[in-house]
Amino acid sequence: MVKVALDAGHGMNTPGKRTPDGEREWSFNSKVVTAATKYLNEYDNVTVIRLDDPTGKTDISLTKRTNKANSESADILISYHHNANTGQWGTWTGTETYHYPGSSSGYALASKIHPAIVGAMVLRDRGIKSENFHMLRESKMPAILIEGGFMDSTIDIVKLRDSNVLDRAGRALADALAAHFGLKKKSKSKVESTSGVHVVKKGDTLWGISQKYNTTVAVLKSLNKISGDLIVPGQKLKLPSNSKKAATKPSLKVNAKVKVKKSAKKYATGENIPNWVKGKKYTIQQIKADRVLLKEIMSWVYKKDVE
């Protein structure tokens, strides 16, 4: 199992880490890391260790971040940032990646990842550099720090404000890591729902997830040690061992084939449904709010009574 430590630099309220208009660097960093986590989940045999606070409320100390990566034996560490020059708007631009001075493994990792990020951001390639940063120095595994673009650049800010671009950077990071480690894509069914785990997507709520897996919000909170209602994209939630994904309702459209349930009792017009009609397939000829007209028997049946 490959362990990838991902770090969205700083926190939401870290002093000074803002665009000239007040936008938070962490919010840009987190969008890329969250997307990378989502896309890495499409691969087998990889797990993500997130080092920052995924809510952004706390700026976790650098020491705690590297200690976590080291104690959990991460195979690599990637700290994702966005740059600043003077703090005032200017036309400087570009993407650059750092490794620790003299680290051949750090340079090798940067050489695999940096071109992918440059390709996703479509900004000037400022190259691969070395620097004595804490995240690179104190980590026991190959580590790199990426500066995706300049927050105080009138050129780069256009990309940073585009969620599609940051999502693309996250995908590029995930795919480059997969190529680096030789990871294979999961089957479609595994991606949709890893056994016993739900990966939170944008728009998910605890209530919606509980309904999807026929469980309760209280059970999800207890199992995952959640005190409030906040969940974030990319977060992995454990599911109760007996949970099953709720059955998907049939697609009801004209000319589709449906079967009348054996439990069906009355037509939508009020008459009893004879037993010989039940359990057989029919063609939908018309659709109304709560009923469908079945062509072969020319009768209206409630939608809830077909499958």
Side-chain angles (χ1 to χ4, degrees):
M1 177 68 73
V2 174
K3 295 181 179 180
V4 176
L6 292 182
D7 174 55
H10 311 297
M12 181 66 79
N13 297 309
T14 304
K17 303 301 180 179
R18 291 163 171 71
T19 72
D21 287 350
E23 298 144 297
R24 271 55 170 178
E25 180 190 341
W26 178 86
S27 66
F28 301 133
N29 303 339
S30 183
K31 285 181 180 180
V32 177
V33 169
T34 297
T37 301
K38 175 179 67 175
Y39 293 119
L40 277 171
N41 189 58
E42 296 179 358
Y43 292 91
D44 268 323
N45 300 317
V46 60
T47 187
V48 173
I49 303 165
R50 185 152 179 175
L51 304 179
D52 64 304
D53 175 3
T55 71
K57 292 180 180 179
T58 303
D59 185 351
I60 305 295
S61 73
L62 299 182
T63 298
K64 286 184 178 179
R65 297 186 195 214
T66 50
N67 283 351
K68 182 175 181 180
N70 292 335
S71 66
E72 297 197 27
S73 302
D75 293 293
I76 60 163
L77 184 156
I78 296 178
S79 187
Y80 210 99
H81 292 250
H82 289 88
N83 225 334
N85 188 9
T86 66
Q88 302 297 319
W89 292 117
T91 56
W92 34 82
T93 179
T95 300
E96 57 194 23
T97 300
Y98 291 87
H99 64 88
Y100 186 68
S103 172
S104 58
S105 60
Y107 177 78
L109 179 62
S111 299
K112 295 285 184 68
I113 306 303
H114 178 73
I117 303 302
V118 171
M121 297 301 294
V122 196
L123 295 171
R124 175 188 164 195
D125 184 352
R126 296 175 63 90
I128 297 172
K129 306 176 180 182
S130 64
E131 191 59 70
N132 185 25
F133 294 139
H134 175 100
M135 297 298 292
L136 310 179
R137 182 183 66 250
E138 301 302 325
S139 50
K140 295 179 180 179
M141 67 294 301
I144 60 174
L145 186 149
I146 299 169
E147 297 280 8
F150 281 85
M151 294 188 297
D152 54 0
S153 163
T154 55
I155 299 168
D156 296 8
I157 195 62
V158 176
K159 302 293 181 72
L160 273 58
R161 287 171 174 166
D162 188 335
S163 293
N164 291 327
V165 172
L166 298 183
D167 184 84
R168 186 171 69 207
R171 178 182 281 279
L173 176 56
D175 290 346
L177 286 171
H180 178 68
F181 286 108
L183 302 175
K184 303 296 183 183
K185 281 283 186 85
K186 294 177 181 177
S187 65
K188 186 176 179 180
S189 60
K190 282 186 178 180
V191 172
E192 289 177 349
S193 177
T194 302
S195 178
V197 174
H198 175 86
V199 180
V200 176
K201 302 177 182 63
K202 185 177 181 180
D204 274 353
T205 63
L206 286 172
W207 184 87
I209 296 168
S210 71
Q211 295 303 296
K212 186 174 184 179
Y213 294 101
N214 293 319
T215 185
T216 66
V217 171
V219 168
L220 289 176
K221 284 186 173 182
S222 175
L223 195 60
N224 292 279
K225 299 180 180 178
I226 298 173
S227 56
D229 294 317
L230 179 66
I231 52 176
V232 295
Q235 182 178 353
K236 293 182 180 181
L237 297 181
K238 295 178 183 178
L239 301 171
S241 58
N242 61 347
S243 66
K244 292 184 179 179
K245 205 170 182 178
T248 303
K249 293 182 179 179
S251 176
L252 299 181
K253 55 187 178 181
V254 174
N255 294 325
K257 291 285 187 180
V258 293
K259 183 190 294 184
V260 176
K261 295 179 181 178
K262 291 186 178 180
S263 59
K265 295 180 179 179
K266 290 183 179 291
Y267 289 118
T269 49
E271 299 89 352
N272 290 329
I273 299 178
N275 288 332
W276 62 267
V277 170
K278 302 174 184 179
K280 294 180 181 178
K281 287 189 175 182
Y282 304 95
T283 307
I284 295 177
Q285 185 168 325
Q286 291 184 47
I287 301 175
K288 289 189 177 180
D290 64 344
R291 62 196 67 188
V292 292
L293 178 64
L294 303 182
K295 181 178 180 180
E296 290 82 359
I297 56 176
M298 290 305 294
S299 298
W300 288 97
V301 177
Y302 288 116
K303 288 180 180 179
K304 65 180 179 62
D305 288 329
V306 299
E307 60 186 3

